Amino acid sequence: MASGSTALGRIREELTCSICHNLFEEPKLLPCLHSFCANCLDSQVHKKPYDDENPEGNRKDRLVCSLCNDHTAPILLPSEGVRGLKTNFPFKNLVNHLKMEDMVCAHGSSSSQQKPAPKAVPCTRCDSDEKAVSICITCHLHLCPLCERDHKRVPLTREHQLISLSTQASKSLEIVMEGQAVEGAEVESSLPSDVELSGMSQDRAWKCEEHPNDDVELYCKDCDKVICLRCMVAHHRRHDYAPATEVVDEYKGKIAKTSRQTLAVQARFKQAIGKLHSARTNLEAKEKSTIEEVQLHCDRIKIELEKQRDVLQKKIKEIADRKKERLDEQLAELGRIGETLQMSVKFSEDITENCIPVEFLFLWKQMSDRLEELCATYGSRPCEPKEESTMNFHRGEDLEAKVRKPDALGTVVANPDPQRFTVDGIENQHFVEKKKTTFTVTCRDIAGNTLSEHQLTVKAEIQAEKGGTTAQCQVVNNQNGTFSVTVNPQTHGLHQIAVSVVIGDKTYPIGPLRIAVSPAHRCNITAPTHVFGKEAASEKKMRNPWGIAVIKEEIVVSDVDMNCLLVFSKEGIYSRKIGKNGVGKVEFKSPRGLACTPDDSIIVAEKGNHRLQEVTLGGVFVRFFGTSEAGKPGSEKGQFNGPSCVAVNSKGIVFATDSQNDRIQYFKPNGEFLGIIRKLGQEVLKDPYGISIYRQSQLQGGERELIFVTERSENRIRCFEKKGGMYVSVKTFGESGVVKGPLVQPVGILADQRSGYVVVAEFQNQRISIFSRSGEHIYSFGERGSDTGAAHFHNPMSIAALGKSSIIVTDCGNGRLKTFCII
C-alpha cells in the first residue's frame, strides 16, 4: 500500500484547489488550463468599480488566475460568468472517486489493520436512524437498505453507482486501489484502477448532462461538444459529428503536434530565462564594478586635491613665516628705540625735578644734547609696519563652479533604450504640401540621459497613404543625442513618417507617425461631394436636422422638429425612424447632439426633456442619464438644464455639455453620475456647447485624451485634459470675428481622429473652419446660401467623420446633410 498511498497523495495534490485548499467542487477550467472550484472562482471575479480611469469594470466580469498571476491579461468571462466556463470533467470524476474512497475509509478500516470497529453511520437519505449499508458515488449519500432499494428502482437514480459498506467491500477497495482483483468482492462499482491521471480507465462510460441515462458516445465538431445519441437527433443532426472513438486519435495527434511545438517554444524561453539570469548576474557585477570605478575616480580626484591643498597650505605658511619674521625684526628694533627714548625722557625729568640747582646745571647740557640727538635721529624715522597682513587665495579656473555641476565627476550612460526615444515638436506642427517642416528625435538610455556619445544614426522617410512614393527626409545630427528631421511632403492628405534609429547592427523603429498635410492653396473646397436628406420619414422630408453620428455603416441624425432620430445608409438612402415625441422610453423632445458608445448604441442629448437617453440602432431603450424629471430643468449633480451635445470616450465614459448651467457632466457607462467639470484650473467654462474627444497615442504606450469644447457665447474653443486627478486647460483658441480664422458662435466640433484636425461649425458665420490641434487656423469654407451644389449653409450645426477622408455636416436651415472631402 505504500506505493499506492504515495500515488494517492500526489493525485490529491493535483486535485486540490489552490484557493480553498480542499478537493475540487465543480472544477472549472480556465483558458490557461488551471482549474479551480466554481465557488472559489466566483469569489475571485474582479468587478472593478466604475470610474473615469477604468469604467469598463462592470461591463464584463473578469478575473486573474491566482497561479498565473498575470494582471496584464485578465480573463474575460463568458456572459454566464464562471458557470459558463468548461467543467474539468476528468478532474471532477476523479474527485468523486476519491471522495467515495474517503467515505468508505471513514466508515471502517480493513480487518488487516486490526482497528476497533467504527460507530455505525446513519442513513443520510431519510429521517430514520437506520444504519447505512452503502454509499451512492453520484449523490454522495449514505443509504440504508430501504433507501438503497428505492435508489435502484427510481428511474432518475437507478443508473447511479453504489458501493457496499461491508468489510469485504472495504478490503476490495484497498486492493482495487492497488490495481489487484478480488474474487467475490461485494462491490457494485469500483474506484479507478490507478489513481495516477495517466492511468484512468479508458473504457468507463460518461453520462450526458442533458440525458443522464444515456452514455456520451459522439463528438460534434461544429459545437466542440461531446453528445449522446438523443442530443444528436435533437440538436446536432445536420452538424459534423462522429463517434468519439473515431475522432479521438485525430485530436490526440493535433495535441501531440502542438505539444511538440510548445515544447520548442518552452525550450526557447528556457534558454532566454538562462540568458536573463546571466544578464542579471552580469548587470550586478557591472553595477558593483561601476560603483567601484566611480569611487576610485573620486578617490583619485580627492588625492590630487589633497596634494594641491597641501602645496597651497605650505606656500601660505612660507609666506606668513617670512612676513612674521620681518614684522618681528621691526618690532624688536622699534621696541629697543622706544625703551631708549623712554629711559632718556625719564632720566631728564627725574634730574630736573629732584636735583638742587648746582647739580642740575652740572648735567643739563648733556641731557639736552642727548634729547636733541634722539629727536634728530628718530623724529622722522618711519614707524609703519614693513609687512601687511594681506594674503589672498585665487581659485583655480572656476573649479568650484565646475564641481557643482551634476556631471562634474562624469556621467553614467547605459545602452540605448528604444522606449525612451521620443519625437518632439510634431504634435503641434501644421504640415503643408511642398513646405518644409522640422521636428526633433531624441535618443536616451534607460535613465533618461541623452546619448550624445553613442554612434547613432537616424533615418526617416515619408509616404502618402494613397499610393504615394516614398521620399527620404533630411536628418541633421545635433551632436547632443538629438536629431532634427525635416519633411517636405509633395502632396496633401494623410501621410506616414517612418523614423528609425540605427545603433551598430540594430535598428529601432519609432512610430510610424501619421500626419495630415494641408493643400498649399487653402479654401479650395467649393462644393459638397454629396447632399441628401430631403426624402426622409413619413413626411418625406427632413425638417430640422441637428445632431449627427456615424455608427457602423449607418448615419444617424436627430431632427429637432420631428422629435425623432432618422437613420440613413452611408450612401444617403433613408432607412428608418427611431422614436417619437414624448417623455417616455424611446421618446424625445428637442433631441440635439448624438454620440456612439463602444457597444454601438446611440446616446441622445434631449434639450426639451433635460436628460440623456441611450437607445440601440434597432430602437430599443437602454437607459436614461441624469436625475432631472423629464421636462423639468435642474442644476444639482446629475441634473440638466438643456443639454446640448454629448461625447463618449473609448472607455465608455459619457460627457455632456450642460450649456445653461455652464458646465460639463460626465457619467459611467451604466448611467451613474461621476462628476462635473466647471473649472479648468483657474479658468471657468462659459456656455459650453459642442464637445469632441481626441485620443492621442503615446510613443511610450497608452493614450492621452484631449477634450475639445466650443464655448458658443465666448466665440472660442477650449482644449483640456485630466492631470493629477483634475481637468486642466491645455489651450484656448479662436477669437470673435467674421474674417477668415476667428470664430462667431462655434457650435458643433469634431476632433478628427484620422487627420488630427479640429473641425468647427460656425452657426453665425455660416461656414466650417478647420484648425490644427495647436489652434492654428488652416482654412475655412462655406457661406450663407441654399445652393445644393455649392458650399452653402443655413445654420450648420453638427459634424461627424465619414469614411477615410470626408466629414458630414447637418445644414439645419436647409433641412439636409452635406458631405465634404477635407483630407
Side-chain angles (χ1 to χ4, degrees), residues 352-383:
T352 301
E353 293 177 1
N354 299 318
C355 290
I356 61 177
V358 176
E359 292 173 342
F360 172 75
L361 292 173
F362 180 78
L363 296 175
W364 80 272
K365 179 62 174 172
Q366 185 176 350
M367 290 188 298
S368 178
D369 292 342
R370 178 59 177 167
L371 292 175
E372 289 177 359
E373 179 188 359
L374 290 175
C375 287
T377 303
Y378 301 112
S380 60
R381 185 167 182 169
C383 297

PDB file of all heavy atoms in Angstrom, residues 352-383:
ATOM      1  N   THR A 352      65.601 116.969  36.667  1.00  0.00           N
ATOM      2  CA  THR A 352      65.010 118.310  36.698  1.00  0.00           C
ATOM      3  C   THR A 352      64.179 118.529  37.956  1.00  0.00           C
ATOM      4  O   THR A 352      64.192 119.607  38.568  1.00  0.00           O
ATOM      5  CB  THR A 352      64.141 118.536  35.444  1.00  0.00           C
ATOM      6  OG1 THR A 352      64.934 118.379  34.278  1.00  0.00           O
ATOM      7  CG2 THR A 352      63.512 119.904  35.445  1.00  0.00           C
ATOM      8  N   GLU A 353      63.443 117.534  38.362  1.00  0.00           N
ATOM      9  CA  GLU A 353      62.535 117.674  39.488  1.00  0.00           C
ATOM     10  C   GLU A 353      63.223 117.464  40.849  1.00  0.00           C
ATOM     11  O   GLU A 353      62.817 118.056  41.855  1.00  0.00           O
ATOM     12  CB  GLU A 353      61.382 116.670  39.338  1.00  0.00           C
ATOM     13  CG  GLU A 353      60.479 116.972  38.171  1.00  0.00           C
ATOM     14  CD  GLU A 353      59.400 115.912  38.022  1.00  0.00           C
ATOM     15  OE1 GLU A 353      59.353 114.960  38.842  1.00  0.00           O
ATOM     16  OE2 GLU A 353      58.587 116.013  37.048  1.00  0.00           O
ATOM     17  N   ASN A 354      64.257 116.670  40.916  1.00  0.00           N
ATOM     18  CA  ASN A 354      64.772 116.252  42.220  1.00  0.00           C
ATOM     19  C   ASN A 354      66.163 116.833  42.576  1.00  0.00           C
ATOM     20  O   ASN A 354      66.631 116.690  43.719  1.00  0.00           O
ATOM     21  CB  ASN A 354      64.831 114.716  42.279  1.00  0.00           C
ATOM     22  CG  ASN A 354      63.435 114.095  42.108  1.00  0.00           C
ATOM     23  OD1 ASN A 354      62.476 114.597  42.675  1.00  0.00           O
ATOM     24  ND2 ASN A 354      63.364 113.048  41.319  1.00  0.00           N
ATOM     25  N   CYS A 355      66.856 117.437  41.632  1.00  0.00           N
ATOM     26  CA  CYS A 355      68.222 117.901  41.938  1.00  0.00           C
ATOM     27  C   CYS A 355      68.205 119.394  42.349  1.00  0.00           C
ATOM     28  O   CYS A 355      67.334 120.167  41.925  1.00  0.00           O
ATOM     29  CB  CYS A 355      69.136 117.719  40.737  1.00  0.00           C
ATOM     30  SG  CYS A 355      69.495 115.987  40.387  1.00  0.00           S
ATOM     31  N   ILE A 356      69.269 119.775  43.151  1.00  0.00           N
ATOM     32  CA  ILE A 356      69.443 121.180  43.522  1.00  0.00           C
ATOM     33  C   ILE A 356      69.975 121.903  42.306  1.00  0.00           C
ATOM     34  O   ILE A 356      70.544 121.287  41.397  1.00  0.00           O
ATOM     35  CB  ILE A 356      70.383 121.326  44.758  1.00  0.00           C
ATOM     36  CG1 ILE A 356      71.764 120.769  44.421  1.00  0.00           C
ATOM     37  CG2 ILE A 356      69.788 120.600  45.980  1.00  0.00           C
ATOM     38  CD1 ILE A 356      72.795 120.933  45.557  1.00  0.00           C
ATOM     39  N   PRO A 357      69.887 123.223  42.280  1.00  0.00           N
ATOM     40  CA  PRO A 357      70.277 123.963  41.088  1.00  0.00           C
ATOM     41  C   PRO A 357      71.694 123.689  40.633  1.00  0.00           C
ATOM     42  O   PRO A 357      71.954 123.567  39.439  1.00  0.00           O
ATOM     43  CB  PRO A 357      70.115 125.425  41.523  1.00  0.00           C
ATOM     44  CG  PRO A 357      69.011 125.369  42.524  1.00  0.00           C
ATOM     45  CD  PRO A 357      69.200 124.134  43.292  1.00  0.00           C
ATOM     46  N   VAL A 358      72.633 123.582  41.582  1.00  0.00           N
ATOM     47  CA  VAL A 358      74.026 123.343  41.186  1.00  0.00           C
ATOM     48  C   VAL A 358      74.141 121.998  40.488  1.00  0.00           C
ATOM     49  O   VAL A 358      74.813 121.857  39.457  1.00  0.00           O
ATOM     50  CB  VAL A 358      74.964 123.427  42.410  1.00  0.00           C
ATOM     51  CG1 VAL A 358      76.396 123.079  42.019  1.00  0.00           C
ATOM     52  CG2 VAL A 358      74.933 124.813  43.003  1.00  0.00           C
ATOM     53  N   GLU A 359      73.457 121.004  41.027  1.00  0.00           N
ATOM     54  CA  GLU A 359      73.521 119.656  40.423  1.00  0.00           C
ATOM     55  C   GLU A 359      72.857 119.648  39.039  1.00  0.00           C
ATOM     56  O   GLU A 359      73.350 119.001  38.111  1.00  0.00           O
ATOM     57  CB  GLU A 359      72.802 118.651  41.326  1.00  0.00           C
ATOM     58  CG  GLU A 359      73.545 118.426  42.626  1.00  0.00           C
ATOM     59  CD  GLU A 359      72.759 117.559  43.597  1.00  0.00           C
ATOM     60  OE1 GLU A 359      71.491 117.401  43.422  1.00  0.00           O
ATOM     61  OE2 GLU A 359      73.370 116.982  44.491  1.00  0.00           O
ATOM     62  N   PHE A 360      71.729 120.340  38.884  1.00  0.00           N
ATOM     63  CA  PHE A 360      71.038 120.381  37.598  1.00  0.00           C
ATOM     64  C   PHE A 360      71.904 121.035  36.538  1.00  0.00           C
ATOM     65  O   PHE A 360      72.018 120.541  35.409  1.00  0.00           O
ATOM     66  CB  PHE A 360      69.710 121.152  37.764  1.00  0.00           C
ATOM     67  CG  PHE A 360      69.019 121.427  36.469  1.00  0.00           C
ATOM     68  CD1 PHE A 360      68.341 120.426  35.776  1.00  0.00           C
ATOM     69  CD2 PHE A 360      69.108 122.699  35.898  1.00  0.00           C
ATOM     70  CE1 PHE A 360      67.755 120.709  34.569  1.00  0.00           C
ATOM     71  CE2 PHE A 360      68.520 122.964  34.683  1.00  0.00           C
ATOM     72  CZ  PHE A 360      67.818 121.954  34.008  1.00  0.00           C
ATOM     73  N   LEU A 361      72.513 122.164  36.936  1.00  0.00           N
ATOM     74  CA  LEU A 361      73.332 122.863  35.963  1.00  0.00           C
ATOM     75  C   LEU A 361      74.549 122.050  35.561  1.00  0.00           C
ATOM     76  O   LEU A 361      75.079 122.194  34.454  1.00  0.00           O
ATOM     77  CB  LEU A 361      73.764 124.220  36.556  1.00  0.00           C
ATOM     78  CG  LEU A 361      72.640 125.241  36.748  1.00  0.00           C
ATOM     79  CD1 LEU A 361      73.154 126.467  37.489  1.00  0.00           C
ATOM     80  CD2 LEU A 361      72.035 125.643  35.417  1.00  0.00           C
ATOM     81  N   PHE A 362      74.997 121.254  36.449  1.00  0.00           N
ATOM     82  CA  PHE A 362      76.149 120.412  36.134  1.00  0.00           C
ATOM     83  C   PHE A 362      75.795 119.416  35.009  1.00  0.00           C
ATOM     84  O   PHE A 362      76.669 119.080  34.194  1.00  0.00           O
ATOM     85  CB  PHE A 362      76.568 119.691  37.430  1.00  0.00           C
ATOM     86  CG  PHE A 362      77.752 118.796  37.249  1.00  0.00           C
ATOM     87  CD1 PHE A 362      79.050 119.340  37.179  1.00  0.00           C
ATOM     88  CD2 PHE A 362      77.609 117.415  37.112  1.00  0.00           C
ATOM     89  CE1 PHE A 362      80.152 118.505  37.008  1.00  0.00           C
ATOM     90  CE2 PHE A 362      78.715 116.608  36.937  1.00  0.00           C
ATOM     91  CZ  PHE A 362      79.982 117.131  36.871  1.00  0.00           C
ATOM     92  N   LEU A 363      74.498 118.989  34.889  1.00  0.00           N
ATOM     93  CA  LEU A 363      74.130 117.925  33.911  1.00  0.00           C
ATOM     94  C   LEU A 363      73.226 118.381  32.778  1.00  0.00           C
ATOM     95  O   LEU A 363      72.997 117.621  31.822  1.00  0.00           O
ATOM     96  CB  LEU A 363      73.419 116.775  34.654  1.00  0.00           C
ATOM     97  CG  LEU A 363      74.242 116.012  35.689  1.00  0.00           C
ATOM     98  CD1 LEU A 363      73.350 115.009  36.387  1.00  0.00           C
ATOM     99  CD2 LEU A 363      75.385 115.287  35.009  1.00  0.00           C
ATOM    100  N   TRP A 364      72.708 119.577  32.827  1.00  0.00           N
ATOM    101  CA  TRP A 364      71.659 119.927  31.860  1.00  0.00           C
ATOM    102  C   TRP A 364      72.111 119.897  30.429  1.00  0.00           C
ATOM    103  O   TRP A 364      71.374 119.519  29.518  1.00  0.00           O
ATOM    104  CB  TRP A 364      71.051 121.309  32.185  1.00  0.00           C
ATOM    105  CG  TRP A 364      71.880 122.466  31.710  1.00  0.00           C
ATOM    106  CD1 TRP A 364      72.871 123.099  32.340  1.00  0.00           C
ATOM    107  CD2 TRP A 364      71.746 123.084  30.427  1.00  0.00           C
ATOM    108  NE1 TRP A 364      73.417 124.074  31.608  1.00  0.00           N
ATOM    109  CE2 TRP A 364      72.720 124.089  30.389  1.00  0.00           C
ATOM    110  CE3 TRP A 364      70.925 122.905  29.269  1.00  0.00           C
ATOM    111  CZ2 TRP A 364      72.872 124.905  29.246  1.00  0.00           C
ATOM    112  CZ3 TRP A 364      71.088 123.725  28.176  1.00  0.00           C
ATOM    113  CH2 TRP A 364      72.030 124.696  28.155  1.00  0.00           C
ATOM    114  N   LYS A 365      73.388 120.348  30.218  1.00  0.00           N
ATOM    115  CA  LYS A 365      73.926 120.412  28.868  1.00  0.00           C
ATOM    116  C   LYS A 365      73.963 119.028  28.237  1.00  0.00           C
ATOM    117  O   LYS A 365      73.555 118.821  27.086  1.00  0.00           O
ATOM    118  CB  LYS A 365      75.301 121.062  28.889  1.00  0.00           C
ATOM    119  CG  LYS A 365      75.980 121.172  27.521  1.00  0.00           C
ATOM    120  CD  LYS A 365      75.213 122.035  26.564  1.00  0.00           C
ATOM    121  CE  LYS A 365      75.992 122.242  25.268  1.00  0.00           C
ATOM    122  NZ  LYS A 365      75.233 122.905  24.256  1.00  0.00           N
ATOM    123  N   GLN A 366      74.388 118.081  28.988  1.00  0.00           N
ATOM    124  CA  GLN A 366      74.499 116.694  28.443  1.00  0.00           C
ATOM    125  C   GLN A 366      73.108 116.129  28.163  1.00  0.00           C
ATOM    126  O   GLN A 366      72.890 115.469  27.157  1.00  0.00           O
ATOM    127  CB  GLN A 366      75.251 115.825  29.440  1.00  0.00           C
ATOM    128  CG  GLN A 366      75.513 114.431  28.894  1.00  0.00           C
ATOM    129  CD  GLN A 366      76.342 113.572  29.845  1.00  0.00           C
ATOM    130  OE1 GLN A 366      76.898 114.083  30.867  1.00  0.00           O
ATOM    131  NE2 GLN A 366      76.468 112.321  29.509  1.00  0.00           N
ATOM    132  N   MET A 367      72.136 116.372  29.072  1.00  0.00           N
ATOM    133  CA  MET A 367      70.783 115.857  28.860  1.00  0.00           C
ATOM    134  C   MET A 367      70.162 116.524  27.643  1.00  0.00           C
ATOM    135  O   MET A 367      69.473 115.859  26.827  1.00  0.00           O
ATOM    136  CB  MET A 367      69.920 116.123  30.102  1.00  0.00           C
ATOM    137  CG  MET A 367      70.307 115.273  31.307  1.00  0.00           C
ATOM    138  SD  MET A 367      69.149 115.424  32.679  1.00  0.00           S
ATOM    139  CE  MET A 367      69.309 117.170  33.072  1.00  0.00           C
ATOM    140  N   SER A 368      70.385 117.794  27.503  1.00  0.00           N
ATOM    141  CA  SER A 368      69.802 118.487  26.358  1.00  0.00           C
ATOM    142  C   SER A 368      70.371 117.960  25.056  1.00  0.00           C
ATOM    143  O   SER A 368      69.637 117.747  24.068  1.00  0.00           O
ATOM    144  CB  SER A 368      70.061 119.998  26.505  1.00  0.00           C
ATOM    145  OG  SER A 368      69.556 120.680  25.387  1.00  0.00           O
ATOM    146  N   ASP A 369      71.714 117.778  25.048  1.00  0.00           N
ATOM    147  CA  ASP A 369      72.307 117.238  23.817  1.00  0.00           C
ATOM    148  C   ASP A 369      71.737 115.856  23.469  1.00  0.00           C
ATOM    149  O   ASP A 369      71.476 115.540  22.288  1.00  0.00           O
ATOM    150  CB  ASP A 369      73.823 117.180  23.981  1.00  0.00           C
ATOM    151  CG  ASP A 369      74.466 118.573  24.052  1.00  0.00           C
ATOM    152  OD1 ASP A 369      73.771 119.526  23.630  1.00  0.00           O
ATOM    153  OD2 ASP A 369      75.619 118.646  24.494  1.00  0.00           O
ATOM    154  N   ARG A 370      71.523 115.018  24.516  1.00  0.00           N
ATOM    155  CA  ARG A 370      71.026 113.649  24.260  1.00  0.00           C
ATOM    156  C   ARG A 370      69.599 113.653  23.710  1.00  0.00           C
ATOM    157  O   ARG A 370      69.287 112.939  22.759  1.00  0.00           O
ATOM    158  CB  ARG A 370      71.081 112.822  25.542  1.00  0.00           C
ATOM    159  CG  ARG A 370      70.555 111.402  25.404  1.00  0.00           C
ATOM    160  CD  ARG A 370      71.314 110.614  24.369  1.00  0.00           C
ATOM    161  NE  ARG A 370      70.855 109.213  24.278  1.00  0.00           N
ATOM    162  CZ  ARG A 370      71.157 108.376  23.323  1.00  0.00           C
ATOM    163  NH1 ARG A 370      71.950 108.810  22.311  1.00  0.00           N
ATOM    164  NH2 ARG A 370      70.759 107.136  23.345  1.00  0.00           N
ATOM    165  N   LEU A 371      68.780 114.462  24.316  1.00  0.00           N
ATOM    166  CA  LEU A 371      67.398 114.514  23.863  1.00  0.00           C
ATOM    167  C   LEU A 371      67.303 115.072  22.446  1.00  0.00           C
ATOM    168  O   LEU A 371      66.497 114.601  21.623  1.00  0.00           O
ATOM    169  CB  LEU A 371      66.553 115.352  24.818  1.00  0.00           C
ATOM    170  CG  LEU A 371      66.350 114.746  26.228  1.00  0.00           C
ATOM    171  CD1 LEU A 371      65.604 115.723  27.123  1.00  0.00           C
ATOM    172  CD2 LEU A 371      65.587 113.412  26.148  1.00  0.00           C
ATOM    173  N   GLU A 372      68.109 116.104  22.156  1.00  0.00           N
ATOM    174  CA  GLU A 372      68.121 116.648  20.809  1.00  0.00           C
ATOM    175  C   GLU A 372      68.609 115.605  19.807  1.00  0.00           C
ATOM    176  O   GLU A 372      68.112 115.505  18.667  1.00  0.00           O
ATOM    177  CB  GLU A 372      68.992 117.891  20.765  1.00  0.00           C
ATOM    178  CG  GLU A 372      68.399 119.091  21.480  1.00  0.00           C
ATOM    179  CD  GLU A 372      69.336 120.292  21.460  1.00  0.00           C
ATOM    180  OE1 GLU A 372      70.441 120.146  20.888  1.00  0.00           O
ATOM    181  OE2 GLU A 372      68.940 121.354  21.964  1.00  0.00           O
ATOM    182  N   GLU A 373      69.601 114.839  20.265  1.00  0.00           N
ATOM    183  CA  GLU A 373      70.133 113.773  19.384  1.00  0.00           C
ATOM    184  C   GLU A 373      69.066 112.737  19.091  1.00  0.00           C
ATOM    185  O   GLU A 373      68.897 112.285  17.947  1.00  0.00           O
ATOM    186  CB  GLU A 373      71.343 113.122  20.051  1.00  0.00           C
ATOM    187  CG  GLU A 373      71.938 112.005  19.207  1.00  0.00           C
ATOM    188  CD  GLU A 373      73.016 111.241  19.955  1.00  0.00           C
ATOM    189  OE1 GLU A 373      73.323 111.560  21.111  1.00  0.00           O
ATOM    190  OE2 GLU A 373      73.549 110.261  19.368  1.00  0.00           O
ATOM    191  N   LEU A 374      68.304 112.341  20.107  1.00  0.00           N
ATOM    192  CA  LEU A 374      67.260 111.337  19.911  1.00  0.00           C
ATOM    193  C   LEU A 374      66.163 111.859  18.992  1.00  0.00           C
ATOM    194  O   LEU A 374      65.657 111.133  18.125  1.00  0.00           O
ATOM    195  CB  LEU A 374      66.662 110.931  21.261  1.00  0.00           C
ATOM    196  CG  LEU A 374      67.579 110.117  22.193  1.00  0.00           C
ATOM    197  CD1 LEU A 374      66.899 109.901  23.538  1.00  0.00           C
ATOM    198  CD2 LEU A 374      67.921 108.760  21.564  1.00  0.00           C
ATOM    199  N   CYS A 375      65.807 113.143  19.187  1.00  0.00           N
ATOM    200  CA  CYS A 375      64.766 113.713  18.321  1.00  0.00           C
ATOM    201  C   CYS A 375      65.250 113.802  16.881  1.00  0.00           C
ATOM    202  O   CYS A 375      64.486 113.544  15.937  1.00  0.00           O
ATOM    203  CB  CYS A 375      64.398 115.112  18.848  1.00  0.00           C
ATOM    204  SG  CYS A 375      63.430 115.054  20.378  1.00  0.00           S
ATOM    205  N   ALA A 376      66.525 114.183  16.743  1.00  0.00           N
ATOM    206  CA  ALA A 376      67.053 114.290  15.387  1.00  0.00           C
ATOM    207  C   ALA A 376      67.149 112.926  14.725  1.00  0.00           C
ATOM    208  O   ALA A 376      66.954 112.763  13.520  1.00  0.00           O
ATOM    209  CB  ALA A 376      68.415 114.976  15.425  1.00  0.00           C
ATOM    210  N   THR A 377      67.515 111.913  15.536  1.00  0.00           N
ATOM    211  CA  THR A 377      67.720 110.558  14.968  1.00  0.00           C
ATOM    212  C   THR A 377      66.401 109.861  14.667  1.00  0.00           C
ATOM    213  O   THR A 377      66.215 109.260  13.606  1.00  0.00           O
ATOM    214  CB  THR A 377      68.557 109.701  15.930  1.00  0.00           C
ATOM    215  OG1 THR A 377      69.796 110.367  16.194  1.00  0.00           O
ATOM    216  CG2 THR A 377      68.805 108.322  15.357  1.00  0.00           C
ATOM    217  N   TYR A 378      65.464 109.926  15.562  1.00  0.00           N
ATOM    218  CA  TYR A 378      64.231 109.107  15.398  1.00  0.00           C
ATOM    219  C   TYR A 378      62.971 109.936  15.138  1.00  0.00           C
ATOM    220  O   TYR A 378      61.890 109.370  14.934  1.00  0.00           O
ATOM    221  CB  TYR A 378      63.990 108.272  16.660  1.00  0.00           C
ATOM    222  CG  TYR A 378      65.136 107.334  16.986  1.00  0.00           C
ATOM    223  CD1 TYR A 378      65.916 107.544  18.125  1.00  0.00           C
ATOM    224  CD2 TYR A 378      65.439 106.277  16.149  1.00  0.00           C
ATOM    225  CE1 TYR A 378      66.976 106.692  18.420  1.00  0.00           C
ATOM    226  CE2 TYR A 378      66.506 105.435  16.439  1.00  0.00           C
ATOM    227  CZ  TYR A 378      67.257 105.630  17.562  1.00  0.00           C
ATOM    228  OH  TYR A 378      68.316 104.821  17.857  1.00  0.00           O
ATOM    229  N   GLY A 379      63.102 111.255  15.115  1.00  0.00           N
ATOM    230  CA  GLY A 379      61.905 112.063  14.951  1.00  0.00           C
ATOM    231  C   GLY A 379      61.206 111.852  13.616  1.00  0.00           C
ATOM    232  O   GLY A 379      59.985 111.872  13.527  1.00  0.00           O
ATOM    233  N   SER A 380      61.936 111.668  12.563  1.00  0.00           N
ATOM    234  CA  SER A 380      61.339 111.458  11.223  1.00  0.00           C
ATOM    235  C   SER A 380      61.503 110.037  10.701  1.00  0.00           C
ATOM    236  O   SER A 380      61.250 109.770   9.530  1.00  0.00           O
ATOM    237  CB  SER A 380      61.988 112.453  10.247  1.00  0.00           C
ATOM    238  OG  SER A 380      63.388 112.235  10.179  1.00  0.00           O
ATOM    239  N   ARG A 381      61.926 109.170  11.555  1.00  0.00           N
ATOM    240  CA  ARG A 381      62.149 107.764  11.121  1.00  0.00           C
ATOM    241  C   ARG A 381      60.784 107.060  10.921  1.00  0.00           C
ATOM    242  O   ARG A 381      59.920 107.117  11.804  1.00  0.00           O
ATOM    243  CB  ARG A 381      62.979 107.046  12.161  1.00  0.00           C
ATOM    244  CG  ARG A 381      63.355 105.635  11.725  1.00  0.00           C
ATOM    245  CD  ARG A 381      64.417 105.074  12.629  1.00  0.00           C
ATOM    246  NE  ARG A 381      64.807 103.748  12.200  1.00  0.00           N
ATOM    247  CZ  ARG A 381      65.868 103.099  12.687  1.00  0.00           C
ATOM    248  NH1 ARG A 381      66.636 103.696  13.601  1.00  0.00           N
ATOM    249  NH2 ARG A 381      66.165 101.894  12.269  1.00  0.00           N
ATOM    250  N   PRO A 382      60.587 106.327   9.790  1.00  0.00           N
ATOM    251  CA  PRO A 382      59.306 105.608   9.554  1.00  0.00           C
ATOM    252  C   PRO A 382      59.052 104.540  10.608  1.00  0.00           C
ATOM    253  O   PRO A 382      59.950 103.763  10.952  1.00  0.00           O
ATOM    254  CB  PRO A 382      59.487 104.973   8.183  1.00  0.00           C
ATOM    255  CG  PRO A 382      60.580 105.741   7.547  1.00  0.00           C
ATOM    256  CD  PRO A 382      61.508 106.173   8.650  1.00  0.00           C
ATOM    257  N   CYS A 383      57.812 104.512  11.080  1.00  0.00           N
ATOM    258  CA  CYS A 383      57.453 103.514  12.106  1.00  0.00           C
ATOM    259  C   CYS A 383      56.357 102.550  11.632  1.00  0.00           C
ATOM    260  O   CYS A 383      55.928 101.667  12.380  1.00  0.00           O
ATOM    261  CB  CYS A 383      56.976 104.239  13.358  1.00  0.00           C
ATOM    262  SG  CYS A 383      58.248 105.261  14.128  1.00  0.00           S
TER     263      CYS A 383
END
